[in-house]
Amino acid sequence: MNLKGKHFYNTADFSQKEINYLIDLALKMKKVQFKKSLSGKSLAMLFFNPSLRTRLSFMMAMEKLGGVGLDFPIKEGYTFEFKEGTIMNQKTIEHVKDAAKVISKYSDAIAIRSSDLITSNSESVQVSSWDKLKQDTVLKSFMKYSQVPVINMESNVYHPCQGLGDAMTIKEKLGNPKKKKYVLTWVYHPKALPMATPNSQLLSACDLGMNVVVVHPKGWELDKGILKVMEQKAKKAGGNFQVSHSQKEAFKEADVICVKSWGALKFYGNWEKEKKIREQHKDWIVTQEKMVKTNNAIFMHCLPVRRNVEVTDEVIDSKNSVVIDEAENRMWAQMAILRSLIKS
Ligand code: CP
C-alpha cells in the first residue's frame, strides 16, 4: 500500500482498502515491537485552536517513531493572507503560499488544526455561514501550496484522525464490526460545537461496513452532500446508513453508542436563535436507562465531555465505556498515518 506523499484531509479521500490498511497497521503497532522508521524526520504542528489529545498524541506519535513533532505557536506568528493576487497593503502580513512552502523546507509533514468553532470560550462564538466555513480555507490553502503531506488535525468539516482512531477502537473491541449496529447520537451541550467530528466518525463507521444510524432532533441535520457520501460508503462496504429522530428507537439492539453534539447548520452565524431551540433538548443526554435498551453496547465519546450534561457519570464510568482507550488509540492511528504518508 503506497500512501507516501498524500495529504490526509478526509478519510473519504481514501479507498476502503486503504482505510482498513491504516486501521490494521495501527492495531499491529499497538501490539508488537515496530521499527523507529521516522528517525530524523519532523512534523510541524500548527494549532490555530486549543487541543489536549490531538496535540499530545501527535507529539508522542512522532517521538515513538523516532522523529520529532514540533508545536509551532502559530497564533503568535504573522497573520496570513489566503486570497490570490491580493494587494497586501492591509492587515495580513504573509501569504499562505510563501509560508506553506517555507514550512515544507523545514519539515517532512505539516499537521494543522483550524476550526472556527473550537474555542475555550464558555459561550458559542459567532461564525460565518456554513457555506463559507465548509470551504476549509486554511487546510485547503496549505494543501495547495505545501510540498510535503498536510494532515488535518480538525477543520470545520472533518476530523479524520478521530474517525480513524474510533474505527480502530471499534475493531479492537468488537472484532469484525461488519453489520453490527453503530449509533451516533446528538446530545445537548450548552455551546454550538463543530460537526467535523461526527462527520468523520460516521464516515469511518460506514467504511467498516456497519449498520450506521445517526440520531438527532429535527433541525440538526448534517450536510446533505456529506450524508450522501456516508450512504455510498456504507453500501459499498456491505452495511447501511440511516437517519433517525428517535433516540428510543435508535438505541434498540445497538452494539456501539457514540455521543457527539453539534450546532445546527442553518443557524451558523446566529447562535442566539439556535440556543433557544437547543435548550428544549436537554433530555438528549445518554443515561443508563437508555443504555440498557442496547445490545450491551460499548460507549464512545471523543472527549472533552461535559459530564452529566452529555452523558451521566454512571454511563461514562461504566465497564462499557471505552473513552480512555479511544483517546489512546488516536496516537496509534496517527502513528499509522505518519508512517504511511511521510517519505523515508
Ligand atoms: N478529541 C479531540 O480531538 O480532542 P482535543 O480537542 O483535546 O484534541
Side-chain angles (χ1 to χ4, degrees), residues 106-296:
Y106 301 145
S107 57
D108 300 286
I110 307 173
I112 301 171
R113 169 168 283 194
S114 176
S115 164
D116 292 41
L117 276 174
I118 306 177
T119 67
S120 302
N121 299 12
S122 56
E123 289 296 317
S124 308
V125 285
Q126 285 311 327
V127 290
S128 315
S129 68
W130 173 243
D131 276 347
K132 181 132 193 264
L133 259 66
K134 79 174 176 191
Q135 291 169 16
D136 263 348
T137 304
V138 177
L139 261 294
K140 292 282 177 69
S141 303
F142 270 93
M143 285 160 66
K144 185 171 173 188
Y145 298 115
S146 168
Q147 289 155 355
V148 294
V150 171
I151 299 169
N152 181 359
M153 296 196 293
E154 190 169 353
S155 66
N156 287 319
V157 192
Y158 300 111
H159 192 357
C161 299
Q162 186 69 55
L164 198 75
D166 276 23
M168 175 190 172
T169 308
I170 292 168
K171 260 194 161 176
E172 185 181 48
K173 303 293 174 191
L174 301 188
N176 182 0
K178 260 195 196 301
K179 296 276 182 199
K180 297 244 168 104
K181 186 174 178 184
Y182 172 97
V183 177
L184 188 142
T185 178
W186 182 91
V187 283
Y188 170 78
H189 191 287
K191 270 176 78 176
L193 297 181
M195 58 178 58
T197 298
N199 283 340
S200 290
Q201 288 172 319
L202 286 163
L203 281 165
S204 289
C206 291
D207 274 339
L208 292 177
M210 301 184 79
N211 292 335
V212 177
V213 180
V214 57
V215 57
H216 56 75
K218 283 186 181 153
W220 269 262
E221 287 73 22
L222 295 167
D223 180 272
K224 273 194 190 122
I226 300 172
L227 285 171
K228 197 105 206 123
V229 177
M230 288 168 190
E231 221 174 288
Q232 288 162 357
K233 289 268 179 192
K235 201 170 162 197
K236 194 162 183 199
N240 61 52
F241 178 77
Q242 285 171 10
V243 178
S244 165
H245 300 302
S246 163
Q247 255 189 346
K248 200 174 160 188
E249 278 305 309
F251 273 47
K252 279 183 195 161
E253 297 303 316
D255 298 291
V256 178
I257 296 293
C258 182
V259 165
K260 190 72 190 83
S261 191
W262 63 87
L265 280 184
K266 63 182 171 198
F267 294 109
Y268 268 61
N270 189 1
W271 295 131
E272 283 314 305
K273 209 167 169 188
E274 196 241 26
K275 193 175 167 73
K276 281 195 197 116
I277 313 169
R278 187 159 22 102
E279 295 295 309
Q280 297 163 17
H281 297 305
K282 285 190 173 167
D283 56 333
W284 282 70
I285 172 175
V286 174
T287 61
Q288 194 54 34
E289 259 181 330
K290 292 178 187 177
M291 286 299 286
V292 294
K293 306 285 181 211
T294 69
N295 182 27
N296 198 25

Side-chain angles (χ1 to χ4, degrees), residues 47 50-55 57 113 118 153-154 159 162 197 301-304 330:
F47 281 94
S51 165
L52 186 154
R53 279 144 290 272
T54 308
R55 192 189 301 272
S57 59
R113 169 168 283 194
I118 306 177
M153 296 196 293
E154 190 169 353
H159 192 357
Q162 186 69 55
T197 298
H301 191 295
C302 64
L303 306 180
R330 287 287 307 280

